[in-house]
Amino acid sequence: MNKKLKIGEFSKLCRVSVKTLRHYEEMGLLVPDETDEWTGYRYYSLEQFQQMGTILHLKRLGLSLSEIAEVVDRGDNRPDITTVRRKMTECRQELYRLNVRLQELQSLEEFFTNNNSMSKMTVKSIPARIVASHRQVINNYDSLGPLCVNVIGPEMMRLGCTCPEPQYCYTIEHDAEHKETNIDLEYCEAVGEWHEDTPLLKFYEAPAIAKALCFSHVGPYSTFSETMIQALQYVEEHQLQITGSPRFCYIDGPWNKADESEWLTEIQIPVAD
C-alpha cells in the first residue's frame, strides 16, 4: 500500500505553502490523490512529487500557471518549442529593460557620488542665429541621434548648409507638459545662410535670449530631470522668473561618444530678474 501524506506533510517536503497547494487544486493543476469525504483532509501520494517537480521547473522557466496547466494537461513535462521561443523573447526583452534600468541607476549613482553631472550655473545672453529647424513627434530621446544622423544631417548636406563657429544646435520640446514618449520635439542647428524651406527643414532666425540660466549636464538624456530640479532650486533661491521654454544644446552625444556617461548637454533656460 502506497504511503499517503497529509497536505501539511506534502507542503513541508515540497517546500511549497499549503495556500499554494490549495490554489493549485482549485486550478486543477495538482489535485490531491485522495480527499476524506468526512473530514475533508487531503492526502497526496509519493508519485505526486514528480508532478510538483515539473510544476516548479516550469515556473522557473517563466511559464504562467495557465501555461503550466496546458503542459500538464498534455501529459508532458516540458513546454513545446513555440512556448520555449516565446519565453526566450520575453527574457531578452526583460534583460534589455533591466540593462536600461541598471545604466540609469549607475548614472544616478555617479551623479550623487561625484556630484559632477552639473557644472556651475551661469547667466549669459544667447545671440540670435539663423537655424535649420526640423520638427517631429519622436518616440523618445533615443530616437534623436538616428534622426540627426540619418535625416537632418543628409538634408543639410544636400542643401549645402554651412555651420559656422561656434557651432550651435539645440532642441525645444513643444508639448504643454512633460512626456516620456511621443515627444513634440524641434531640432534646430545654427547655419551660416538662408535656404529655401523643404519638407524636412525650415529656416528662420531664432531670437536672441537676453538672459539665460545655463548649466552643463553630463550623462544620458534620461537623467535630465535630476539636473533640472537643481536648476529650478537655483531659480527659486535667486528669485528669477522663467520666461520661455528651455533649450537643450547638444555638445557631445551618441553621434560622437559611445559611452552615455560622456554625453555633454548645455541646458539654457530663459530667465528675468
Side-chain angles (χ1 to χ4, degrees):
M1 181 176 178
N2 291 333
K3 177 176 175 59
K4 299 292 179 67
L5 301 171
K6 292 181 180 179
I7 190 170
E9 296 172 319
F10 191 76
S11 165
K12 270 191 172 182
L13 292 173
C14 291
R15 304 195 65 78
V16 175
S17 70
V18 169
K19 180 179 179 181
T20 297
L21 290 174
R22 293 187 187 277
H23 182 53
Y24 289 173
E25 180 185 356
E26 290 173 0
M27 292 187 62
L29 191 58
L30 184 65
V31 178
D33 187 66
E34 180 183 328
T35 301
D36 189 294
E37 61 178 324
W38 300 107
T39 63
Y41 290 163
R42 293 162 172 78
Y43 297 92
Y44 293 81
S45 66
L46 295 177
E47 288 78 11
Q48 288 183 293
F49 280 120
Q50 183 176 353
Q51 189 175 354
M52 175 57 72
T54 297
I55 293 171
L56 296 177
H57 174 65
L58 294 175
K59 282 188 67 178
R60 286 196 300 273
L61 293 180
L63 273 70
S64 66
L65 292 182
S66 59
E67 290 171 329
I68 293 173
E70 292 177 5
V71 175
V72 172
D73 287 344
R74 293 199 309 265
D76 207 345
N77 62 357
R78 59 187 179 186
D80 57 35
I81 186 63
T82 300
T83 302
V84 169
R85 287 172 176 164
R86 185 174 70 252
K87 291 301 172 184
M88 289 173 64
T89 298
E90 292 175 3
C91 282
R92 293 188 185 102
Q93 292 171 342
E94 182 63 19
L95 284 171
Y96 174 79
R97 288 192 292 268
L98 288 173
N99 188 51
V100 170
R101 184 185 302 173
L102 177 60
Q103 290 176 359
E104 291 186 0
L105 288 169
Q106 288 172 334
S107 297
L108 191 57
E109 178 191 36
E110 183 177 353
F111 175 85
F112 286 120
T113 302
N114 301 325
N115 196 29
N116 65 352
S117 287
M118 185 172 63
S119 65
K120 181 180 178 181
M121 299 197 184
T122 59
V123 176
K124 62 184 180 182
S125 61
I126 309 295
R129 298 289 295 271
I130 301 170
V131 298
S133 165
H134 176 86
R135 183 170 173 178
Q136 179 178 329
V137 175
I138 64 173
N139 184 43
N140 52 47
Y141 266 92
D142 290 338
S143 308
L144 181 58
L147 179 64
C148 293
V149 172
N150 300 322
V151 178
I152 301 172
E155 181 70 353
M156 291 181 65
M157 290 183 63
R158 186 185 73 82
L159 295 174
C161 295
T162 61
C163 300
E165 297 293 339
Q167 293 187 0
Y168 182 53
C169 62
Y170 62 91
T171 58
I172 297 176
E173 296 177 7
H174 288 282
D175 295 297
E177 60 187 50
H178 173 69
K179 297 176 70 175
E180 296 289 344
T181 60
N182 298 322
I183 306 165
D184 184 358
L185 195 75
E186 180 182 5
Y187 176 90
C188 298
E189 185 156 353
V191 294
E193 64 287 309
W194 292 87
H195 291 270
E196 292 292 330
D197 291 348
T198 74
L200 291 176
L201 294 178
K202 308 297 179 186
F203 293 85
Y204 65 89
E205 184 175 79
I209 302 176
K211 185 177 291 187
L213 176 63
C214 302
F215 49 96
S216 295
H217 172 90
V218 179
Y221 305 143
S222 58
T223 57
F224 274 159
S225 57
E226 286 86 5
T227 306
M228 288 292 289
I229 287 172
Q230 292 195 29
L232 295 176
Q233 290 173 345
Y234 182 95
V235 167
E236 183 178 1
E237 290 170 2
H238 291 78
Q239 298 182 333
L240 299 174
Q241 292 183 347
I242 297 175
T243 59
S245 298
R247 293 181 182 180
F248 297 86
C249 181
Y250 303 98
I251 301 169
D252 293 312
W255 51 89
N256 67 341
K257 299 287 185 180
D259 189 347
E260 289 185 349
S261 66
E262 297 180 356
W263 294 0
L264 175 60
T265 308
E266 183 179 73
I267 302 176
Q268 304 166 341
I269 304 178
V271 294
D273 295 326

